[in-house]
PDB file of all heavy atoms in Angstrom:
ATOM      1  N   GLY F  91      -8.020  11.185 -37.398  1.00 98.00           N
ATOM      2  CA  GLY F  91      -7.448  11.803 -38.593  1.00 98.00           C
ATOM      3  C   GLY F  91      -6.388  10.910 -39.206  1.00 98.00           C
ATOM      4  O   GLY F  91      -6.295  10.773 -40.429  1.00 98.00           O
ATOM      5  N   LEU F  92      -5.598  10.281 -38.347  1.00 98.00           N
ATOM      6  CA  LEU F  92      -4.545   9.393 -38.850  1.00 98.00           C
ATOM      7  C   LEU F  92      -5.138   8.201 -39.601  1.00 98.00           C
ATOM      8  O   LEU F  92      -4.631   7.791 -40.650  1.00 98.00           O
ATOM      9  CB  LEU F  92      -3.639   8.944 -37.695  1.00 98.00           C
ATOM     10  CG  LEU F  92      -2.451   8.067 -38.081  1.00 98.00           C
ATOM     11  CD1 LEU F  92      -1.575   8.718 -39.139  1.00 98.00           C
ATOM     12  CD2 LEU F  92      -1.616   7.724 -36.841  1.00 98.00           C
ATOM     13  N   TYR F 116       2.631  16.239 -41.286  1.00 95.00           N
ATOM     14  CA  TYR F 116       2.538  15.937 -39.848  1.00 95.00           C
ATOM     15  C   TYR F 116       3.226  14.590 -39.615  1.00 95.00           C
ATOM     16  O   TYR F 116       3.145  13.677 -40.438  1.00 95.00           O
ATOM     17  CB  TYR F 116       1.066  16.052 -39.473  1.00 95.00           C
ATOM     18  CG  TYR F 116       0.369  14.964 -38.760  1.00 95.00           C
ATOM     19  CD1 TYR F 116       0.129  15.045 -37.387  1.00 95.00           C
ATOM     20  CD2 TYR F 116      -0.113  13.856 -39.457  1.00 95.00           C
ATOM     21  CE1 TYR F 116      -0.568  14.043 -36.743  1.00 95.00           C
ATOM     22  CE2 TYR F 116      -0.816  12.863 -38.812  1.00 95.00           C
ATOM     23  CZ  TYR F 116      -1.029  12.954 -37.460  1.00 95.00           C
ATOM     24  OH  TYR F 116      -1.723  11.968 -36.822  1.00 95.00           O
ATOM     25  N   ASP F 187      -3.782  17.148 -47.012  1.00 98.00           N
ATOM     26  CA  ASP F 187      -4.263  17.198 -45.625  1.00 98.00           C
ATOM     27  C   ASP F 187      -4.756  18.624 -45.386  1.00 98.00           C
ATOM     28  O   ASP F 187      -3.994  19.581 -45.460  1.00 98.00           O
ATOM     29  CB  ASP F 187      -3.108  16.840 -44.672  1.00 98.00           C
ATOM     30  CG  ASP F 187      -3.545  16.808 -43.203  1.00 98.00           C
ATOM     31  OD1 ASP F 187      -4.406  17.622 -42.816  1.00 98.00           O
ATOM     32  OD2 ASP F 187      -3.003  15.985 -42.446  1.00 98.00           O
ATOM     33  N   ALA F 209      -8.393  16.074 -40.047  1.00 98.00           N
ATOM     34  CA  ALA F 209      -8.573  15.573 -38.692  1.00 98.00           C
ATOM     35  C   ALA F 209      -9.718  16.413 -38.121  1.00 98.00           C
ATOM     36  O   ALA F 209      -9.514  17.565 -37.718  1.00 98.00           O
ATOM     37  CB  ALA F 209      -7.296  15.745 -37.881  1.00 98.00           C
ATOM     38  N   THR F 211     -10.953  15.948 -35.488  1.00 98.00           N
ATOM     39  CA  THR F 211     -10.523  16.067 -34.089  1.00 98.00           C
ATOM     40  C   THR F 211     -10.195  17.530 -33.737  1.00 98.00           C
ATOM     41  O   THR F 211     -10.379  17.941 -32.601  1.00 98.00           O
ATOM     42  CB  THR F 211      -9.221  15.234 -33.918  1.00 98.00           C
ATOM     43  OG1 THR F 211      -9.456  13.913 -34.373  1.00 98.00           O
ATOM     44  CG2 THR F 211      -8.746  15.220 -32.490  1.00 98.00           C
ATOM     45  N   LYS F 212      -9.717  18.282 -34.713  1.00 98.00           N
ATOM     46  CA  LYS F 212      -9.202  19.627 -34.451  1.00 98.00           C
ATOM     47  C   LYS F 212     -10.340  20.668 -34.484  1.00 98.00           C
ATOM     48  O   LYS F 212     -11.213  20.612 -33.648  1.00 98.00           O
ATOM     49  CB  LYS F 212      -8.084  19.950 -35.436  1.00 98.00           C
ATOM     50  CG  LYS F 212      -6.994  18.849 -35.518  1.00 98.00           C
ATOM     51  CD  LYS F 212      -6.041  18.880 -34.344  1.00 98.00           C
ATOM     52  CE  LYS F 212      -5.122  17.673 -34.244  1.00 98.00           C
ATOM     53  NZ  LYS F 212      -4.220  17.447 -35.354  1.00 98.00           N
TER      54      LYS F 212
HETATM   55  C1  PLP J   1      -3.758  16.105 -35.716  1.00 57.54           C
HETATM   56  C2  PLP J   1      -3.490  15.983 -37.154  1.00 57.54           C
HETATM   57  C3  PLP J   1      -3.808  14.815 -37.843  1.00 57.54           C
HETATM   58  C4  PLP J   1      -4.305  13.552 -37.167  1.00 57.54           C
HETATM   59  O1  PLP J   1      -5.477  13.666 -36.478  1.00 57.54           O
HETATM   60  P1  PLP J   1      -5.849  12.678 -35.262  1.00 57.54           P
HETATM   61  O2  PLP J   1      -7.320  12.792 -35.190  1.00 57.54           O
HETATM   62  O3  PLP J   1      -5.108  13.190 -34.076  1.00 57.54           O
HETATM   63  O4  PLP J   1      -5.397  11.302 -35.665  1.00 57.54           O
HETATM   64  C5  PLP J   1      -3.608  14.788 -39.202  1.00 57.54           C
HETATM   65  N1  PLP J   1      -3.078  15.838 -39.852  1.00 57.54           N
HETATM   66  C6  PLP J   1      -2.750  16.971 -39.222  1.00 57.54           C
HETATM   67  C7  PLP J   1      -2.181  18.099 -39.997  1.00 57.54           C
HETATM   68  C8  PLP J   1      -2.928  17.076 -37.849  1.00 57.54           C
HETATM   69  O5  PLP J   1      -2.565  18.196 -37.227  1.00 57.54           O
END
Side-chain angles (χ1 to χ4, degrees):
L92 183 55
Y116 128 101
D187 183 325
T211 306
K212 309 283 169 61

